[in-house]
Amino acid sequence: MATKVIEIKGTDLALLFGVRDAFLNKIESSFLIKLFARGNQLMLEGDETRIQQVERIIGEMILTINQKGFVDEEDVTTLINLELSGHKLPEEITAESVILFKKSGVVRPRSANQERYYRSTLQNDIVFGIGPAGTGKTYLAVAIALAALRNHDVQRLILTRPAVEAGESLGFLPGDLTEKIEPYLAPLYDALYDFLTPDKLKAYEEQHAVEILPLAYMRGRTLNNAYVILDEAQNTTPMQMKMFLTRLGVNSKAIITGDITQIDLPSHQKSGLIDALEILKGIDGIDFVYFDATDVVRHRLVKAIIKAYNGNH
């Protein structure tokens, strides 16, 4: 039997411990140790290995509170599951570098350009992420927007992309609306499923807190208190890009991602992403972040493939 005392400074103990010590009780039952709160000290009593695990959890809870102002039950559950499954957070993780906690770890920038991308979204209302496949543009955008939703900075998360192959007219495809658009929206669902359980995503969708839809269905809407992501923006027309950007309402932010080397529009049609790069430069509150092969975080061969196609053998 071992004991350890943690002195907690600069953190609201009510936030850290939860309502009626709910978070402490959850940790206690998960690790079969005893936790005693006395003033600003927390005493841990039990197996030494378990105490070390709980120490890390308490530390990460404090980082989370410092980052977003509170810690919720989902955060605590994620941290507990990480420790119980043997995952450990890298030592260089800080409150400032964590974008989102998820069930299998944390989401954080993994390159200089990804770091700039993340910081830019905190400072600007519209950010363009431009670069090749596998550089984390969409993945990080979804994490950033989901963190804003969980932190109550916005009330809705809206993800959209153009359905180029169907000419944005999906009527001739078989099936109902969901079946028609599913192939075009699958990459967005892939990203969300890495952060949320299917049940949690379904609940968000039923509450209209998360919407995933083709770009054509954005017309006529005004989006207040929302984080909006436009993916595959290189396949928008200039008119579609203008339509999308003018949807933003009060307390809304947008991330636009695209790869100008993979435009699927007819050869005579100018890309709305390239058009926006030319028109919107220099506007305060709009930023452009560029990625390259050094930012690739997919399979190790993706980086080599990108370099090969770019002529850098």
Side-chain angles (χ1 to χ4, degrees):
M1 184 76 67
T3 60
K4 179 68 181 286
V5 176
I6 302 175
E7 188 170 357
I8 299 167
K9 298 178 180 179
T11 300
D12 187 333
L13 298 183
L15 294 176
L16 182 64
F17 296 163
V19 178
R20 297 179 182 174
D21 294 340
F23 298 157
L24 292 188
N25 295 335
K26 188 177 184 69
I27 294 170
E28 262 192 342
S29 61
S30 298
F31 291 92
L32 302 177
I33 70 169
K34 294 294 183 182
L35 300 176
F36 305 96
R38 295 174 180 170
N40 68 334
Q41 292 185 331
L42 183 64
M43 179 178 290
L44 289 66
E45 185 177 286
D47 177 79
E48 186 171 355
T49 299
R50 293 299 195 185
I51 286 177
Q52 291 173 354
Q53 290 179 302
V54 172
E55 272 193 279
R56 287 193 288 267
I57 289 174
I58 296 297
E60 295 303 328
M61 288 171 66
I62 292 171
L63 285 178
T64 304
I65 292 171
N66 290 339
Q67 180 192 24
K68 66 178 186 179
F70 67 95
V71 64
D72 59 26
E73 185 177 359
E74 189 173 350
D75 294 324
V76 177
T77 300
T78 298
L79 291 168
I80 289 172
N81 291 338
L82 283 172
E83 281 295 341
L84 291 177
S85 64
H87 289 90
K88 291 184 181 180
L89 299 175
E91 293 181 0
E92 68 269 21
I93 291 289
T94 65
E96 290 74 30
S97 68
V98 173
I99 298 173
L100 184 74
F101 286 98
K102 62 174 186 170
K103 55 184 179 291
S104 59
V106 296
V107 182
R108 63 185 178 90
R110 294 172 62 181
S111 70
N113 287 329
Q114 288 190 359
E115 177 74 20
R116 179 168 177 258
Y117 186 50
Y118 174 44
R119 297 299 168 194
S120 181
T121 65
L122 300 178
Q123 298 165 5
N124 298 279
D125 286 341
I126 298 176
V127 175
F128 288 79
I130 303 152
T135 50
K137 305 182 303 295
T138 301
Y139 187 80
L140 289 180
V142 173
I144 290 163
L146 189 57
L149 180 67
R150 284 178 53 177
N151 295 350
H152 307 290
D153 297 329
V154 296
Q155 296 175 356
R156 291 185 292 169
L157 167 55
I158 299 170
L159 303 96
T160 185
R161 61 190 340 230
V164 171
E165 294 83 351
E168 288 277 320
S169 177
L170 304 171
F172 68 89
L173 293 175
D176 60 19
L177 177 62
T178 300
E179 292 170 331
K180 292 174 191 289
I181 65 179
E182 186 174 0
Y184 305 101
L185 303 180
L188 298 176
Y189 279 103
D190 289 344
L192 282 168
Y193 282 136
D194 201 51
F195 306 128
L196 302 170
T197 64
D199 287 344
K200 184 66 174 178
L201 177 56
K202 183 179 179 181
Y204 271 141
E205 290 185 300
E206 289 175 349
Q207 298 160 10
H208 300 289
V210 172
E211 290 184 70
I212 308 170
L213 71 167
L215 182 59
Y217 292 84
M218 295 284 287
R219 290 188 177 92
R221 303 185 65 180
T222 299
L223 305 174
N224 296 322
N225 296 306
Y227 218 123
V228 194
I229 297 172
L230 171 58
D231 192 36
E232 296 289 324
Q234 75 275 7
N235 290 328
T236 62
T237 65
M239 188 63 70
Q240 287 172 330
M241 178 63 76
K242 180 181 178 182
M243 178 273 292
F244 172 81
L245 292 172
T246 54
R247 298 307 91 200
L248 293 185
V250 177
N251 191 41
S252 287
K253 302 185 74 167
I255 300 176
I256 298 97
T257 69
D259 179 0
I260 57 177
T261 69
Q262 295 192 33
I263 298 172
D264 299 317
L265 295 168
S267 57
H268 66 274
Q269 178 67 68
K270 185 174 185 179
S271 166
L273 179 56
I274 292 177
D275 192 57
L277 296 180
E278 297 169 356
I279 293 174
L280 302 178
K281 281 184 179 177
I283 297 179
D284 189 40
I286 299 178
D287 193 22
F288 300 87
V289 179
Y290 293 88
F291 297 85
D292 56 40
T294 63
D295 301 300
V296 170
V297 292
R298 289 185 186 170
H299 193 285
R300 62 178 180 82
L301 288 177
V302 174
K303 185 180 297 186
I305 290 168
I306 291 171
K307 287 183 176 179
Y309 272 96
N310 288 339
N312 301 318
H313 300 282

